[in-house]
Amino acid sequence: MGAAGQLYAKYLRRETEFTELVKALRSFYHSLNADERGEVVDILGSISEPDATRELLQLYVECQWRTTRFQIIRALSKNPTPRSLEFLMSIAKDPTDVPLCEAALWALGQSRSPQAGRFLVHLFAGCRESIRPYVVGALGRIPDNTLQAELVELLAKAIDSNETQLTRHLVSTLSELRSAAARPLILSLLARPGNPTLARTALLSLGKLSRDAGELKAYEKHFQGDVFTSDLFASVQTQIMLRSRFSVEECIEKALTSDDMLPVFALELNLFPEQEVLDALTARAANGNVKRLCRILASLNFVDVPNWYSSLFPFRTLTRERVFHILESIQSHESESFLPLLEASRAKSLRDIRSPLFERWFQAASLSLPHAERVFTPYLESDAWTELPTDQKITVINHFVNFALCVQSDEIHFEAVCDVLKKTLLKEELPQVRARLLRAFGQLERFDEDVFAFVRNRIHDIRLASSALFYVEKSQPPGGLDLCLEIIAEGSHKNQLAQGLLRAMAEQKGNIGQNTALDQFLKRCLTRECPPETQLLALNFLVRHPRRDLLTAIVSFRRAEERLQLAAIVALRNFADDMAVDALQECLGSSSESVVGRALDSLTCAPGPRAKMIVLEFLERNIHDLEVCDKVIRCLGPLHGLGVGLNLSGRVERLIHANPHHPMIDGLFLLKERLNPRSALSLVAAGRGAEIEEVDAKLEAALPCYADFDEELRSVLRAAELPFTRPDLFGGAIDKSAVVVQLCKAIDMRIGATWGKDALFPSLERSLHVFQNIVHGAGLAEEPPSPERTLRFFELAPRFQPTDLPLAKMSALARGILQGRVIGDHWRIFDGLRAWAVALMLFGRPSEGMFASLSQEQRAGLPLVKSSSDDVLDLVSRLLRLQETRSLAVHRHTFSSVSDLEGIRREAFDLLARLQVLV
C-alpha cells in the first residue's frame, strides 16, 4: 500500500473527511510515478461520492499521461452517475480515437446502466466497422437484448466473411444474453480449423447456452490437443449437465427466492420454449412477488415480452407501488410495443406530480421507447405542462435530455429531438426552466442559430447568463468568442459571470489579439481577492491563450495552494523567459510529487538552453529514479541554435560512464544522440589508408549521395563494396553472400536515420492513437487479419493481390502499435526492409480508407511521405524483393562470383539514391 492508500485507509476508518482526503490525494495526481497515479484513480473510482466523480473528470482533462486517462475511464464504471455516463458517451461516440472509444464502450458496458444500453443500441446502427465489435461486447456486459435478432443475423455474416474479432464479440455477447437462436451458429464454430481461439470462445459460450451435453460429443476430438483444452472441454460439459437439471419452474423458484441468483436464473429462462415460460409466470403472477417477477421479465428476450406485462398485471387492479416496479422493469428493454403499456399507466402515474411515480413514468418512457419524443412532445405542448411547477418541469426536461444523449448517433432522430427542445425554449416563460434548456443544448453540444440568437438577446439577464455561457462553452458557436469579449468590455456582471466567461473563452477556437479590457479582466481574476476557483480558471485560460503581459502574475502563484500552483506551472511552459524558467526550477524542489512532475514536464518543453541544463542537472540528481529518467529521455528535445556553447550531449555521456549498468542505458544513449544529432556526421576516420580512400572514391562515383552519409553508414557500404574494388582478394570459391546482407543493412540504416527518425518515430510518439485508429480500421487488430479488407482499406489493388501482402509483418507491426511497444522499442519493431516496406505501404501514402477513420485535425500529418502513391508503392515492391534476396543469402544461398552481385548492387545503390529524394 502506497502513501495514497494509507490516506484512503484513514478515510475508511473515518479518521478524516472526504474533502481532506481529496485535498491530500491531489499531491499525487500528476506524479511521475505511474503506480501512485493509478492508486489515486482506483481510490477515487471506489468512492461513491458525486464529488469523487467530479475529481476524476477534472483529472482526465488535466492529466498528461494517456495511460492515466484509460485508468480514469475504467474507474468511472464502478459508480456510474449521470455525469460520468454522459462523459463516457461523449468519448464513445467519437471514433477518431479508437482505443479511447473502446475503453469508454467497455466502461459503459461495465456500468450496467439502462441508459448506457439505450445509447449503445442507437450507436450500433451507424457506428464505424472498426468499433462495432466493441459496441457488441458492451451490450453483452449490461446485458441488453434489444438487438438480439440483429446480432444473430450479423453473426452469420461475420462467420461467412471470416471476421474473427467481430465473431468472437458476437459469440460472447449472445451467450451472455442466452440467445437460443444463436446456439446452432456457435456450435458450428467448434469444428472450424485454423482458429483455436475462436473455437475456445465458442465452447465457453455453449457452456451458457446448451442444455444438452450430448451435442458436444461429436466435437470432443477437436479439443484433445493438450491438457488445457481437454480440461476446458470437460469443464464445459459438466457445466451443461448441472444446468440441464433445472426445469422452468425450478428456475423461476430460484429467481423468486434468492436475490443473488435472480439474474442468473432469470436469464436461464430464455433457453426454454416461450409458451412454457409464459405459462409458468402466469401461474405465479396471482400470488407472486410483483417486484421480483418484474425483475425476471427485465431479463427475458422473447419478442412478445412487452405484451406479457399487460397480461400478467392488469393495470386497473394494480397499486401505484406495483406500477412503479413495472415501469422500472421495462427500462431494460427498448420497443415501440411498450407505448400502449405506458399510455395505460399514464393516468395513474401522472395524477400526483409529487409522487415518485411521476418521475418514474418519464424515465421509463425515455429508456423503453426508441422514439420517446412521441410521448414527450405532446406533453410539452399540453396544458398540463403549463401548470407544472418549475422543479417538475426540470425533472421532465432532464429525462428528455437523457433520451437525446442516447440518440446522438442517429443524426435525423437527434435533429428532431433538438427541434422539440428548441420550441420549448422559445415559448417557455420561467427563467429557471429556460436556464435548464440552455444547459441542455450545451450538454448536447448542439449549435443552433436560433438558440444562439436567444443567448445573445438574453445574455445580460443574470438569471440566464450562467447557463447561456455554459451553452457557449460547450457548443462553440461562431461568434462565441466575440460575445464573451463584448461582455468583458462592457464590464457588466463581472463578478457573477467571471467563472462562466473564463470557461467559455477557454473553449473557443481562434486567437485573441491585443485586448486591454481582457488583460484587465484577467488581472482582476488573478488577484487574491477573487475566489480560488476563479483564479484557477484564469490560469487554465492562460494555458490555452498565453499573454506575455501576465507572466509576472502567473509566476506569483508558484507558492500558492497546490491546485493553483499546478495550473501556473502548466501556463509557464508557454513562455521562453528566464523568469518562467526560474519559477519552474524552484518548483522542482517541492515535496509534492505532482508539482515536481508538472514542473519537469514544463521544463522539458521550454526551448531555451538554460531550461535544458536545469533538466539535465535534475536528471543527474535523480539518475536512479526510473520515472524521471523515462520522462527526460522521452521529452527532452535537441538544442536549436548551436552558438550557446553548451555541451549537453557530453553531460549525458558523463552520466553514461558513471552508470554503465543503468536499466535505461539504451535510452540514455538515444538522449545523448538527440541532444547533439550532428555529432556522428563530424566523425572522420583518422589516418585512413589508401585502400579505404580508393573505396570511398569509387562509392562517391557510383553513389553521389555517399558524401552525405555518416561514418557508420559509410563503413557498412565499404564492407559491401570491397569485393568490387579489390576482386583479387575475393577470388576463388569464397562465398560473397555477406555483400547482400551489408547492402540491405545500409538501406535499413538509411531509412531509419532519415524517414524513421525524422517522420515516423516522432509521429508515433506524438499521435500514437492516430496510428491505432488506422490499424483498427484496416482490420489488422484481428487474428488473423483479412487480406481482402486490408487491400480495400489501403487501396492497394491492383498493385498487390491478397497473397502478395506480408500479413505476418503487418500483424507484428499492428501489435506493436496497439500495445504501445513501438514507442520505446523502435528498433525491434522496425527490424529490416520488410518492416520499413510495410510502414511505407500503410502510412506513407494517402488512401480514402485511412482518412475516413481520422478527424480533420488528425489527417494533418499524414501521409508521412509526400511523393505520389505510385512512387511509394514502387519503392515498397522493390524493398520487399530485396528482402527476399537477403533471406536467400542468409539461408544457405551462395554467391561465388562478383558478377552475380552486380545487379543487386545496382538495385541497392538506386534505392539509396531514390530514398534521398523520396523519403
Side-chain angles (χ1 to χ4, degrees):
M1 180 187 297
Q6 294 172 10
L7 292 169
Y8 182 50
K10 289 178 64 177
Y11 169 74
L12 293 177
R13 294 195 300 267
R14 305 192 178 211
E15 296 175 9
T16 185
E17 297 294 326
F18 174 73
T19 53
E20 295 174 1
L21 171 67
V22 170
K23 187 175 181 180
L25 290 178
R26 285 173 181 159
S27 296
F28 303 96
Y29 282 5
H30 307 286
S31 168
L32 290 173
N33 189 303
D35 291 337
E36 287 183 343
R37 298 195 307 272
E39 187 175 32
V40 168
V41 170
D42 288 340
I43 288 170
L44 291 172
S46 64
I47 298 175
S48 57
E49 295 276 351
D51 284 342
T53 298
R54 292 191 186 95
E55 283 288 311
L56 284 172
L57 296 180
Q58 186 61 36
L59 178 56
Y60 183 92
V61 173
E62 294 177 355
C63 74
Q64 59 183 320
W65 286 277
R66 187 170 169 83
T67 52
T68 302
R69 290 189 166 187
F70 281 104
Q71 290 172 325
I72 292 171
I73 289 174
R74 290 193 291 269
L76 289 171
S77 68
K78 297 178 182 177
N79 292 294
T81 65
R83 185 189 294 262
S84 63
L85 289 174
E86 182 180 337
F87 172 77
L88 292 172
M89 289 177 194
S90 68
I91 299 175
K93 73 179 182 181
D94 180 9
T96 55
D97 191 332
V98 173
L100 277 180
C101 179
E102 176 189 351
L105 289 168
W106 179 90
L108 286 169
Q110 289 295 106
S111 73
R112 299 185 179 276
S113 161
Q115 185 181 355
R118 297 290 77 74
F119 169 80
L120 293 168
V121 165
H122 288 275
L123 181 64
F124 175 83
C127 69
R128 290 182 181 172
E129 189 178 8
S130 57
I131 68 167
R132 179 163 289 185
Y134 311 118
V135 177
V136 171
L139 286 168
R141 291 188 185 98
I142 289 179
D144 187 296
N145 55 47
T146 303
L147 296 175
Q148 185 192 156
E150 289 90 333
L151 296 182
V152 173
E153 184 179 343
L154 182 60
L155 175 60
K157 294 178 180 177
I159 293 173
D160 289 342
S161 57
N162 293 316
E163 295 182 68
T164 305
Q165 188 180 38
L166 180 58
T167 301
R168 289 179 61 191
H169 281 282
L170 284 165
V171 167
S172 298
T173 291
L174 288 167
S175 67
E176 290 295 333
L177 299 177
R178 303 300 191 273
S179 171
R183 188 173 57 81
L185 288 169
I186 297 175
L187 194 64
S188 70
L189 293 172
L190 294 182
R192 289 177 71 89
N195 201 329
T197 303
L198 185 56
R200 284 195 293 270
T201 302
L203 179 64
L204 290 170
S205 298
L206 286 167
K208 301 174 183 178
L209 287 176
S210 179
R211 294 182 57 81
D212 178 11
E215 69 179 359
L216 296 184
K217 198 68 178 173
Y219 303 97
E220 185 172 6
K221 61 183 178 181
H222 298 288
F223 295 91
Q224 298 301 315
D226 54 63
V227 174
F228 171 75
T229 54
S230 179
D231 288 349
L232 183 66
F233 186 85
S235 175
V236 169
Q237 278 191 316
T238 302
Q239 181 184 359
I240 294 172
M241 290 171 61
L242 290 173
R243 289 172 48 256
S244 65
R245 298 175 183 176
F246 290 95
S247 63
V248 172
E249 290 76 11
E250 288 171 323
C251 287
I252 293 176
E253 181 64 26
K254 290 284 185 182
L256 290 174
T257 56
S258 170
D259 281 333
D260 293 337
M261 299 304 294
L262 190 153
V264 175
F265 283 101
L267 281 170
E268 189 72 15
L269 291 171
N270 290 298
L271 300 176
F272 291 93
E274 181 175 353
Q275 189 60 48
E276 191 177 336
V277 175
L278 177 59
D279 292 342
L281 289 174
T282 303
R284 291 279 188 166
N287 303 314
N289 185 321
V290 172
K291 181 178 180 179
R292 288 179 180 270
L293 284 171
C294 286
R295 289 182 63 188
I296 292 173
L297 287 172
S299 299
L300 299 182
N301 56 35
F302 301 117
V303 175
D304 206 35
V305 164
N307 297 322
W308 290 12
Y309 287 90
S310 301
S311 62
L312 292 172
F313 313 114
F315 272 81
R316 284 176 294 181
T317 62
L318 287 179
T319 63
R320 292 166 62 83
E321 179 185 1
R322 292 186 170 188
V323 172
F324 185 92
H325 296 318
I326 292 170
L327 293 176
E328 183 179 39
S329 174
I330 68 173
Q331 294 175 28
S332 298
H333 305 272
E334 185 183 71
S335 171
E336 279 296 321
S337 301
F338 283 116
L339 185 58
L341 188 152
L342 284 162
E343 292 296 339
S345 62
R346 173 193 286 267
K348 189 169 290 189
S349 301
L350 304 187
R351 186 180 306 144
D352 181 2
I353 62 173
R354 296 298 177 187
S355 166
L357 193 57
F358 177 86
E359 180 176 357
R360 178 66 69 182
W361 191 86
F362 285 102
Q363 184 180 36
S366 69
L367 293 174
S368 64
L369 297 177
H371 292 277
E373 70 275 12
R374 296 175 184 173
V375 169
F376 280 89
T377 302
Y379 189 81
L380 292 172
E381 295 174 349
S382 68
D383 293 338
W385 170 260
T386 307
E387 297 169 2
L388 272 185
T390 299
D391 58 340
Q392 292 302 88
K393 282 188 174 183
I394 291 175
T395 295
V396 175
I397 291 171
N398 287 343
H399 290 298
F400 196 27
V401 171
N402 287 340
F403 172 73
L405 288 169
C406 292
V407 301
Q408 288 177 90
S409 54
D410 184 341
E411 189 173 340
I412 296 176
H413 197 176
F414 182 60
E415 183 88 22
V417 173
C418 288
D419 282 344
V420 176
L421 287 170
K422 180 173 70 173
K423 290 176 183 176
T424 307
L425 169 68
L426 297 179
K427 74 174 185 179
E428 184 56 54
E429 296 295 334
L430 293 173
Q432 297 96 321
V433 180
R434 281 179 166 178
R436 177 64 188 97
L437 285 162
L438 285 176
R439 298 187 77 83
F441 278 98
Q443 284 178 265
L444 300 172
E445 299 178 353
R446 168 76 176 176
F447 168 70
D448 184 278
E449 290 182 358
D450 294 333
V451 175
F452 187 54
F454 181 92
V455 166
R456 292 193 67 95
N457 292 333
R458 291 168 175 80
I459 193 70
H460 298 295
D461 185 341
I462 194 61
R463 298 170 299 178
L464 300 179
S466 177
S467 297
L469 287 172
F470 178 80
Y471 167 75
V472 173
E473 173 193 349
K474 296 297 184 181
S475 66
Q476 299 181 20
L481 180 59
D482 293 336
L483 176 61
C484 292
L485 293 175
E486 287 173 19
I487 297 170
I488 289 172
E490 293 168 1
S492 57
H493 311 306
K494 56 178 178 289
N495 294 326
Q496 300 94 325
L497 299 185
Q499 294 183 14
L501 282 167
L502 289 167
R503 289 193 185 95
M505 286 193 300
E507 296 298 326
Q508 303 310 303
K509 297 177 181 177
N511 297 319
I512 305 175
Q514 291 292 328
N515 190 305
T516 304
L518 174 61
D519 289 340
Q520 292 174 349
F521 170 73
L522 291 170
K523 284 179 182 177
R524 275 200 311 273
C525 293
L526 292 171
T527 58
R528 297 294 188 264
E529 289 74 26
C530 283
E533 188 64 29
T534 303
Q535 297 174 37
L536 181 64
L537 289 168
L539 289 168
N540 288 337
F541 172 80
L542 290 169
V543 171
R544 301 194 183 190
H545 302 279
R547 303 185 76 76
R548 180 67 181 78
D549 293 342
L550 296 174
L551 175 59
T552 303
I554 298 171
V555 169
S556 69
F557 282 91
R558 68 188 184 279
R559 296 192 186 95
E561 185 266 326
E562 188 165 308
R563 282 196 310 162
L564 298 174
Q565 190 178 5
L566 289 167
I569 289 170
V570 178
L572 287 173
R573 72 187 296 173
N574 294 313
F575 297 94
D577 189 285
D578 285 344
M579 184 188 296
V581 173
D582 288 340
L584 292 171
Q585 183 179 18
E586 181 181 327
C587 292
L588 286 178
S590 173
S591 59
S592 167
E593 293 288 342
S594 287
V595 171
V596 173
R598 278 296 199 191
L600 183 61
D601 177 64
S602 292
L603 281 167
T604 56
C605 297
R610 189 159 169 272
K612 299 185 187 303
M613 185 61 75
I614 291 170
V615 171
L616 290 179
E617 290 172 354
F618 186 77
L619 175 64
E620 289 174 4
R621 296 195 301 271
N622 297 272
I623 189 63
H624 299 297
D625 187 326
L626 298 186
E627 281 80 12
V628 170
C629 293
D630 177 67
K631 177 66 181 177
V632 175
I633 289 168
R634 283 189 297 105
C635 299
L636 189 63
L639 202 58
H640 298 289
L642 300 178
V644 293
L646 289 176
N647 184 13
L648 298 181
S649 64
R651 192 153 193 159
V652 178
E653 186 173 12
R654 288 193 294 275
L655 265 180
I656 292 170
H657 285 311
N659 301 274
H661 303 295
H662 194 279
M664 304 186 75
I665 193 70
D666 292 340
L668 291 171
F669 274 113
L670 290 174
L671 177 63
K672 172 193 165 186
E673 181 186 353
R674 188 190 313 137
L675 292 176
N676 194 4
R678 296 193 61 82
S679 60
L681 297 179
S682 64
L683 294 176
V684 179
R688 289 184 299 182
E691 294 86 355
I692 293 180
E693 291 181 359
E694 181 185 355
V695 173
D696 282 347
K698 289 204 170 187
L699 282 168
E700 287 182 16
L703 191 59
C705 56
Y706 179 75
D708 298 328
F709 296 165
D710 60 35
E711 189 64 23
E712 187 178 6
L713 180 53
R714 290 183 186 185
S715 66
V716 174
L717 287 170
R718 288 183 194 124
E721 185 67 13
L722 203 54
F724 298 95
T725 307
R726 294 290 305 276
D728 55 300
L729 299 176
F730 297 89
I734 298 176
D735 181 19
K736 303 172 182 64
S737 299
V739 173
V740 179
V741 176
Q742 294 289 352
L743 288 170
C744 291
K745 181 180 179 181
I747 297 171
D748 181 3
M749 292 172 62
R750 187 58 180 163
I751 299 177
T754 53
W755 185 62
K757 185 177 177 181
D758 296 337
L760 179 60
F761 298 162
S763 295
L764 283 166
E765 293 186 10
R766 184 173 56 249
S767 308
L768 179 63
H769 67 284
V770 174
F771 293 87
Q772 290 172 334
N773 281 10
I774 295 170
V775 166
H776 278 286
L780 292 173
E782 297 191 9
E783 287 291 345
S786 166
E788 291 80 8
R789 179 175 172 182
T790 303
L791 280 172
R792 184 172 66 253
F793 183 87
F794 289 111
E795 299 175 347
L796 293 169
R799 292 291 296 268
F800 290 88
Q801 298 301 314
T803 53
D804 299 332
L805 293 179
L807 279 181
K809 182 57 70 175
M810 286 180 169
S811 295
L813 176 57
R815 285 194 299 273
I817 291 173
L818 293 173
Q819 296 166 6
R821 290 187 295 108
V822 71
I823 297 298
D825 214 0
H826 292 148
W827 305 113
R828 288 194 181 183
I829 303 295
F830 298 97
D831 57 352
L833 301 187
R834 184 176 286 109
W836 293 120
V838 167
L840 284 164
M841 181 189 295
L842 304 187
F843 311 124
R845 42 180 293 282
S847 70
E848 288 300 321
M850 177 202 297
F851 286 153
S853 64
L854 305 177
S855 68
Q856 195 64 41
E857 293 179 0
Q858 292 172 346
R859 299 178 188 184
L862 291 169
L864 294 175
V865 176
K866 302 308 178 186
S867 301
S868 70
S869 178
D870 286 340
D871 285 343
V872 175
L873 287 181
D874 180 63
L875 176 62
V876 167
S877 299
R878 295 173 68 179
L879 288 173
L880 290 174
R881 286 197 299 270
L882 193 56
Q883 176 65 32
E884 291 299 324
T885 304
R886 180 193 181 279
S887 298
L888 290 173
V890 171
H891 295 96
R892 300 187 181 90
H893 186 88
T894 60
F895 292 88
S896 58
S897 171
V898 170
S899 60
D900 295 339
L901 298 171
E902 287 179 345
I904 300 171
R905 174 177 176 264
R906 283 194 301 272
E907 175 70 359
F909 281 9
D910 187 55
L911 281 171
L912 284 167
R914 287 283 304 281
L915 287 170
Q916 195 77 356
V917 177
L918 186 68
V919 177

